[in-house]
Amino acid sequence: MPKDRALALRVNGRTVEVEIPPHRTLLEALRDTGFVDVKRGCEKGDCGACAVLIDGVAVDACLTLAWTVEGRDIVTAAGLGTHENMHPLQKTFVEKGAIQCGYCTPGLIVAAQSLISMTPNPSEEDIRVGLSGNLCRCTGYAKVFEAVREAAAEVRNQRSRR
Ligand code: FES
Ligand code: FES
C-alpha cells in the first residue's frame, strides 16, 4: 500500500495541510479538506464539475494527482470572490438565472474565468468552446453563455477604470 505524504497545498490564498497517498487526486484532497464547492461528478474528465484553476488555467481536479500540484496556485470557484466582494462571474450567474440545481456551477465559473483571463472579449464561439468541457443537465446553457458574456464585459470595465 503506497504511503501517505504530508502535502502543503496553496488553495484560495492559504496553505492547506493534507496527508495523502500518491494515487489520490486533487479532487479528493480538496473535498477532504472542506473545499466542497469543488464537485465530484464523473471522476473521469467528462463533466467539468470538479474544475479548479491551477496557476490561472482551468484543470479537472479529478484527473490531477494531488502530489503533482504542491506549490502551485490553486483557486476554486468560491475563492474568486467573497460575499461582500463577489467576482463578476459569481454575480452574473445569479443575476442571469444561469443556475438551477447548481451542481455544475462552480466548474462552469472556473472554466469561464480561465477563458476570460485569456480572451477578455470572447465571441459566442469562444464561450461555447471555452465551456465545452463542462456539462449542465439543467439550464440549456443559454443563460450561462449570457452570464459569461456580461461578466467579461464587467471585467473589461473594471480594468479600464483602474
Ligand atoms: S468529476 Fe472531474 S470531470 Fe467530472
Ligand atoms: S444547473 Fe443543474 S447541472 Fe447545471
Side-chain angles (χ1 to χ4, degrees):
M1 191 73 174
K3 287 212 166 63
D4 285 6
R5 198 183 100 195
L7 291 184
L9 297 176
R10 183 97 190 128
V11 188
N12 295 346
R14 63 186 174 93
T15 300
V16 177
E17 309 276 349
V18 58
E19 294 243 341
I20 197 162
H23 61 282
R24 302 272 312 275
T25 66
L26 178 60
L27 171 62
E28 294 170 301
L30 289 172
R31 289 193 61 88
D32 287 356
T33 49
F35 294 93
V36 291
D37 56 317
V38 184
K39 298 301 182 200
R40 192 193 304 271
C42 63
E43 291 190 88
K44 56 189 177 77
D46 284 343
C47 73
C50 66
V52 296
L53 296 167
I54 298 181
D55 296 336
V57 177
V59 169
D60 288 334
C62 71
L63 298 182
T64 305
L65 295 173
W67 281 24
T68 65
V69 291
E70 197 173 26
R72 310 276 295 275
D73 188 31
I74 301 163
V75 177
T76 74
L80 286 173
T82 62
H83 276 290
E84 298 70 35
N85 188 19
M86 287 170 82
H87 186 281
L89 281 163
Q90 295 170 326
K91 249 196 268 180
T92 59
F93 266 67
V94 173
E95 288 168 1
K96 293 287 166 192
I99 302 169
Q100 286 186 25
C101 81
Y103 205 82
C104 67
T105 308
L108 277 166
I109 286 179
V110 161
Q113 169 59 18
S114 183
L115 168 70
I116 65 179
S117 69
M118 287 181 263
T119 310
N121 191 4
S123 65
E124 182 75 18
E125 180 66 12
D126 292 332
I127 294 172
R128 285 172 183 266
V129 171
L131 303 188
S132 60
N134 296 76
L135 301 182
C136 174
R137 65 186 173 180
C138 309
T139 64
Y141 299 98
K143 298 283 182 194
V144 170
F145 297 157
E146 208 178 316
V148 173
R149 211 168 26 246
E150 193 155 313
E154 175 57 22
V155 170
R156 291 197 303 280
N157 284 343
Q158 288 177 354
R159 286 202 185 122
S160 69
R161 288 198 293 268
R162 277 185 208 139

